[in-house]
Amino acid sequence: MASLDKVAQSEGAGSPLSASTSLPGPRGSQLSSKISSVLSTSFADLEIRDALNTLDERGIKNDADTRRNLRLEVQKEIIQCNADVIDDFGHVAQQLKSVGQALTQLQNTCASMRKHVTAARVETAPIIDEANTLVTQRSQVQTKQSLLAAFKDHFILTDAEITILTSTAEAPIDDAFFATLVKTKTIQKDCDVLLGGENHRLGLEILDQSSKHLNAAFTKLYRYVQRELKGQGGLEDLESAVQLSSGIRRGLRVLAERPTLFQSCLDAFAATRERLLSDGFYEALTGATTSTGRGPGDKGQKPIEFSAHEPLRYVGDMLAWVHATAVSEQEALEVLFVAEGNEIAKGIQAGLESEPWSRPEGDEPFDGRRALGQLVDRSLAGVAQQLQQRVEQVVSSQGGTSGAADRGADDEDEDATPEEPSLLYRICNLVVFYRRIFMKMLPHDNDFTRTLEDLQSPALDQFLNVMHQRLILVQSDVANFTTLPEELQHPDFLDEALDVFKSLLRSYDASSAPSINNPTKDLEGPTAQLKLLYDNALDPFLSCCERIAIKAKSTPDESQASLDRHCFSVNCLLAAKAVLAEFPSYTQEKNIELDAHIREHAEELVGLQYAWLLSASGLQPLVSALASLRKKHGAQPVQDSESDTSSSASESDDDDEPRGTEIAAQHILAHPAFARSSLHDARTTLDNFLPSALTDALERLGKHRLRNSSLAKEVTARAVRRFRRDFERVERAVLEGSAKQVEMKEDEDGGEEEDDGEEETLRDIFPRTAEEIGILLS
């Protein structure tokens, strides 16, 4: 309505717009103010917008009558609305009067009720106080009853539970026993709470009773476990027995809280298993039934002692049986010590806290694997003793060579075959192999591996003793050698030694653990073992061959004797290299060492061949004369390289001779070796020598002497190269001497032409050239 009123005012003021603009005086000022008001009105105003919307809804036409009556109509509607509101408030006032009357009546009623309630409260107050007191007392009694029941249920064992814990005849070891045992341990632990209060009597009494019951329960459990372990420890199928008897495993877990009882059970079980395994090992060895009448051996297998005539197989079968038995024992007991090792460790730790006097030295935490290995090791103690006795008997029986050494080589025992050292060595390697397996299976400080280590040392000592006895026999034979063998082949004892050495290398190669730990000889690792084989099975026999070469009697031809000695030594070394060549993966260093010795002998052979070439060709006097002239007159000889160089390199070396050839030529002509007759003899000898020189040189190192033809050719070729270089020096000296002769002749004749019958020069007497020598000796 207000918006319509505002619009009406705007319409009423705007109707005479055109007329009022020209009116003067106060009326004109009012009109102008209204016009300004209308013009200042914003149609964005919400009231104006609502008023316009209302006019649109009523459908009012914009004409003069409507604009003139709009204000009156709007005011009329407003008055009517106000009248309607007043009527409505009259009705509201009438209702409020009715409500006031009702409230007054309610107040009166409440006051009357308060009076009645106050009177009733005064009368019932003593009864209510007495009832509240009784209810409180009843609640306290119920609470005390609940506490007593809970206390008895938690701290007091029933007669049935006490019977389950302590009775050995009536109650078996079952789940009820272990549940009651856990409850008793809980009672004992919770007694600390009771002891922490003011009244200690109850706590002490309950603690004393629970301790008695707990000790009785552990004693009962100990006897049960010990009895079961002894019974199942004597079973053949230990694995099935231990796996199926969950009560034993659970009992041991619980019994671990008493370390003394736990260890006593393990000791009894180990003793039972040791006795049974010892009987089983004896039965496997002999096939005889033991006193127990049972054992873990396979009844379908032949007795191991049937193969006693084969020492290696015999020892291997025994060790294989022990290994298989140890693996079976370990697999059977892994269920207890590995799968449930944590529970046992917790029990042992709790037991050590309750029994601190039983704490072992070192205080190491419980290790299931270590405990398992220790138990298996103790079970094998009896087997280890029998095994040690039999292996030592086998090793000691392989020493037939020592008696042969006293009887002489001709009376050597037939059992002392070349395979005997290899057999001992294989036995030693076999013991080492199983020792390493048991070192991984059992704890580090176990008795069984120490037993195998004790077996290893005598086996190695016996092997070295046999090799020493063989060496003594060979040395006694070497003392009787006065000449080299026919055709310079290596002696028979070296053949036998190489056969033994080859067999040892094969055993070394086949061994999966090629190392020997001998504390007395400080050997460890494959390199040390190879050195052991070299030092005892190869090098001493090669040294005997060297002694034979040195002791061989000299012949009238000392050069040929020296050549034979070096060829013999090389043949022996080549035979050793042939054996090493079959095992190239780990004999490189020894091959290098032998190659160095062969090169030393080859150098000597080159020198001997070179000396023979000089002597047989007749050049020795000429070469010696040149050497003496250089030494006498201060000239340095040309370097004589032993390396395999080409002829061009040799010619370049010859160009390095010192100056003063004129003086050297005079001395050459004056030396008797270069006299015409001497030079003519040298030429004749050389001409006779050259056609078959190379063939003769090779025959000196032929297949019946030096077994390696390529080495013989190499040695001869190097000697020929040295011979050719010396010939080049002789040829150069002859040319210098000839040139000096021509020069001296020209000086004497005053430059006159020579007659056809002039005397021969050195070159005419000795026309051979280095190229011809190279062709004939190539």
Side-chain angles (χ1 to χ4, degrees), residues 655-715:
D655 293 339
D656 295 334
E657 285 197 12
R659 295 184 179 179
T661 55
E662 186 175 352
I663 300 175
Q666 294 175 359
H667 292 296
I668 289 172
L669 294 174
H671 199 282
F674 286 90
R676 287 180 174 83
S677 58
S678 300
L679 199 58
H680 188 276
D681 293 339
R683 170 190 172 179
T684 302
T685 304
L686 180 62
D687 291 341
N688 295 331
F689 166 76
L690 286 177
S692 61
L694 185 59
T695 303
D696 294 341
L698 290 175
E699 286 181 355
R700 285 168 55 85
L701 302 175
K703 63 179 180 179
H704 298 298
R705 293 184 179 274
L706 194 59
R707 299 297 174 178
N708 191 327
S709 58
S710 60
L711 180 59
K713 293 179 181 179
E714 179 186 353
V715 168

Side-chain angles (χ1 to χ4, degrees), residues 312-490:
L312 184 62
R313 179 182 174 185
Y314 180 53
V315 175
D317 289 346
M318 288 191 294
L319 290 173
W321 188 94
V322 175
H323 175 253
T325 303
V327 171
S328 299
E329 292 282 309
Q330 191 175 43
E331 291 177 352
L333 297 175
E334 274 184 351
V335 178
L336 173 64
F337 289 96
V338 178
E340 303 181 8
N342 293 333
E343 297 296 329
I344 294 178
K346 293 178 182 178
I348 290 179
Q349 184 62 31
L352 293 177
E353 293 176 358
S354 61
E355 298 180 4
W357 58 86
S358 63
R359 186 180 299 273
E361 297 182 1
D363 195 15
E364 296 181 358
F366 177 81
D367 185 356
R369 290 278 182 188
R370 181 180 178 84
L372 171 62
Q374 290 176 345
L375 186 59
V376 174
D377 180 45
R378 293 172 61 187
S379 300
L380 295 175
V383 176
Q385 294 179 0
Q386 298 184 52
L387 177 67
Q388 185 174 11
Q389 293 175 359
R390 281 166 170 78
V391 173
E392 287 179 350
Q393 289 176 0
V394 171
V395 170
S396 61
S397 66
Q398 301 303 313
T401 310
S402 60
D406 298 333
R407 295 190 300 270
D410 296 336
D411 298 330
E412 185 176 355
D413 191 352
E414 293 180 359
D415 293 336
T417 62
E419 296 181 357
E420 183 181 273
S422 175
L423 179 60
L424 288 169
Y425 182 73
R426 290 178 183 177
I427 292 175
C428 187
N429 263 348
L430 188 63
V431 173
V432 172
F433 171 74
Y434 278 99
R435 182 175 68 86
R436 290 186 170 237
I437 291 179
F438 280 101
M439 285 178 65
K440 297 177 182 178
M441 181 188 302
L442 303 178
H444 179 67
D445 53 344
N446 64 87
D447 294 332
F448 191 78
T449 55
R450 280 195 291 268
T451 300
L452 294 181
E453 186 174 349
D454 294 339
L455 290 176
Q456 172 189 334
S457 181
L460 179 61
D461 291 339
Q462 186 68 12
F463 163 72
L464 297 178
N465 180 55
V466 170
M467 293 305 301
H468 180 67
Q469 296 298 331
R470 286 180 171 272
L471 182 59
I472 292 176
L473 289 174
V474 170
Q475 288 174 346
S476 63
D477 292 340
V478 169
N480 299 325
F481 272 87
T482 56
T483 59
L484 297 176
E486 296 181 0
E487 297 182 356
L488 301 182
Q489 63 181 0
H490 48 274

Side-chain angles (χ1 to χ4, degrees), residues 524-566:
E524 182 67 29
T527 302
Q529 187 175 4
L530 281 176
K531 186 177 184 303
L532 173 74
L533 297 181
Y534 294 147
D535 292 345
N536 293 275
L538 180 63
D539 291 344
F541 299 96
L542 292 179
S543 299
C544 290
C545 294
E546 290 290 340
R547 290 177 58 189
I548 291 175
I550 295 173
K551 290 181 61 177
K553 293 182 179 180
S554 301
T555 61
D557 188 356
E558 181 59 32
S559 175
Q560 184 64 42
S562 299
L563 189 72
D564 291 345
R565 282 193 290 268
H566 290 293

Side-chain angles (χ1 to χ4, degrees), residues 109-407:
T109 303
C110 289
S112 176
M113 292 178 66
R114 287 192 189 94
K115 291 179 182 179
H116 289 294
V117 168
T118 302
R121 182 181 297 173
V122 172
E123 292 177 1
T124 60
I127 299 174
I128 292 175
D129 292 341
E130 185 178 356
N132 290 336
T133 302
L134 292 175
V135 170
T136 303
Q137 291 177 353
R138 179 183 177 184
S139 176
Q140 292 176 352
V141 170
Q142 291 178 346
T143 302
K144 290 180 179 180
Q145 287 179 346
S146 300
L147 289 175
L148 179 61
F151 181 84
K152 291 177 64 179
D153 183 64
H154 187 78
F155 285 97
I156 304 299
L157 294 176
T158 63
D159 294 339
E161 290 175 337
I162 294 174
T163 302
I164 290 174
L165 281 182
T166 60
S167 177
T168 58
E170 299 178 3
I173 302 296
D174 52 9
D175 293 340
F177 171 83
F178 290 109
T180 306
L181 184 64
V182 171
K183 179 179 178 180
T184 307
K185 290 190 290 185
T186 305
I187 292 174
Q188 189 181 44
K189 181 179 180 181
D190 293 343
C191 283
D192 296 340
V193 179
L194 300 177
L195 295 175
E198 295 181 357
N199 187 3
H200 296 171
R201 180 180 177 181
L202 179 62
L204 291 174
E205 290 180 356
I206 295 177
L207 181 62
D208 182 61
Q209 291 180 0
S210 62
S211 298
K212 290 180 180 179
H213 296 328
L214 199 60
N215 291 333
F218 273 111
T219 302
K220 176 182 177 180
L221 180 62
Y222 164 71
R223 292 173 180 173
Y224 164 77
V225 172
Q226 191 176 37
R227 182 175 63 254
E228 292 296 321
L229 283 179
K230 286 183 178 180
Q232 295 195 2
L235 295 177
E236 296 184 11
D237 192 0
L238 174 66
E239 183 175 359
S240 301
V242 175
Q243 288 181 353
L244 292 177
S245 181
S246 59
I248 294 180
R249 300 199 304 271
R250 189 173 183 182
L252 282 174
R253 288 202 309 268
V254 175
L255 202 60
E257 298 179 13
R258 293 292 187 269
T260 304
L261 301 179
F262 178 76
Q263 189 61 42
S264 178
C265 287
L266 293 184
D267 292 342
F269 178 74
T272 303
R273 293 305 299 170
E274 178 185 356
R275 183 175 64 257
L276 180 70
L277 293 182
S278 298
D279 294 342
F281 185 57
Y282 181 78
E283 181 180 356
L285 286 172
T286 62
T289 304
T290 58
S291 58
T292 59
R294 57 187 178 183
D298 188 354
K299 304 298 188 300
Q301 295 292 335
K302 293 182 180 180
I304 297 176
E305 288 190 348
F306 276 11
S307 60
H309 61 285
E310 302 178 27
L312 184 62
R313 179 182 174 185
Y314 180 53
V315 175
D317 289 346
M318 288 191 294
L319 290 173
W321 188 94
V322 175
H323 175 253
T325 303
V327 171
S328 299
E329 292 282 309
Q330 191 175 43
E331 291 177 352
L333 297 175
E334 274 184 351
V335 178
L336 173 64
F337 289 96
V338 178
E340 303 181 8
N342 293 333
E343 297 296 329
I344 294 178
K346 293 178 182 178
I348 290 179
Q349 184 62 31
L352 293 177
E353 293 176 358
S354 61
E355 298 180 4
W357 58 86
S358 63
R359 186 180 299 273
E361 297 182 1
D363 195 15
E364 296 181 358
F366 177 81
D367 185 356
R369 290 278 182 188
R370 181 180 178 84
L372 171 62
Q374 290 176 345
L375 186 59
V376 174
D377 180 45
R378 293 172 61 187
S379 300
L380 295 175
V383 176
Q385 294 179 0
Q386 298 184 52
L387 177 67
Q388 185 174 11
Q389 293 175 359
R390 281 166 170 78
V391 173
E392 287 179 350
Q393 289 176 0
V394 171
V395 170
S396 61
S397 66
Q398 301 303 313
T401 310
S402 60
D406 298 333
R407 295 190 300 270

Side-chain angles (χ1 to χ4, degrees), residues 491-508:
D492 294 338
F493 72 79
L494 184 60
D495 269 335
E496 295 178 2
L498 291 178
D499 289 341
V500 172
F501 182 66
K502 183 189 297 185
S503 178
L504 294 176
L505 285 182
R506 286 175 181 169
S507 177
Y508 172 87

